[in-house]
Amino acid sequence: MIVDLRIYTTLPNKLPEFVALYEAKAWPLQLKYLENCLGWYTTVEGALNTVVHMWGYADQGDRERRRTAMAADPAWGEYLAEAGARSLLVKMENRIIKPTGFFSAFQAKK
């Protein structure tokens, strides 16, 4: 399993607007195509105006197939266009991470 860790930073005071737009337009599409959301959070302390979300995939090929299918959906393009027109984001980051052996063993015991 791999995890796509995404960190988005909004302009000050734009976090609620970004979250509302995402929930209305992106969330349904991502659940449809990506399916395995491991968490979706906003910061309370530290770097403010930040969203962190994580998506689990079997492997990089699984991630690419799912994201390619989502990108081909016209509704995804409409969401991206609206988010861009609103100029809500300052920065977008993503990292592909994988669990360590000891954490994988811990999860298997649960």
Side-chain angles (χ1 to χ4, degrees):
M1 177 179 155
I2 63 168
V3 175
D4 186 353
L5 170 68
R6 295 185 164 258
I7 305 166
Y8 296 172
T9 306
T10 69
L11 287 167
N13 302 313
K14 294 292 186 176
L15 185 64
E17 184 180 352
F18 174 74
V19 171
L21 175 63
Y22 178 90
E23 182 180 13
K25 299 203 173 179
W27 179 244
L29 293 168
Q30 290 194 316
L31 288 178
K32 176 181 176 181
Y33 291 104
L34 308 183
E35 294 181 355
N36 191 18
C37 183
L38 303 176
W40 213 98
Y41 309 93
T42 58
T43 54
V44 176
E45 293 184 18
L48 299 178
N49 306 306
T50 303
V51 169
V52 176
H53 49 115
M54 299 172 287
W55 298 86
Y57 301 95
D59 53 38
Q60 187 64 23
D62 179 40
R63 177 183 177 272
E64 290 176 16
R65 281 187 298 279
R66 290 174 181 276
R67 292 197 62 84
T68 297
M70 183 176 70
D73 189 317
W76 183 250
E78 292 167 14
Y79 161 72
L80 293 177
E82 184 170 349
R86 292 191 192 189
S87 300
L88 302 173
L89 296 176
V90 173
K91 182 168 76 169
M92 295 171 56
E93 303 173 60
N94 83 298
R95 298 175 183 130
I96 303 300
I97 58 177
K98 64 180 183 174
T100 60
F102 65 84
F103 185 74
S104 296
F106 170 77
Q107 288 296 100
K109 291 179 184 178
K110 286 180 123 182

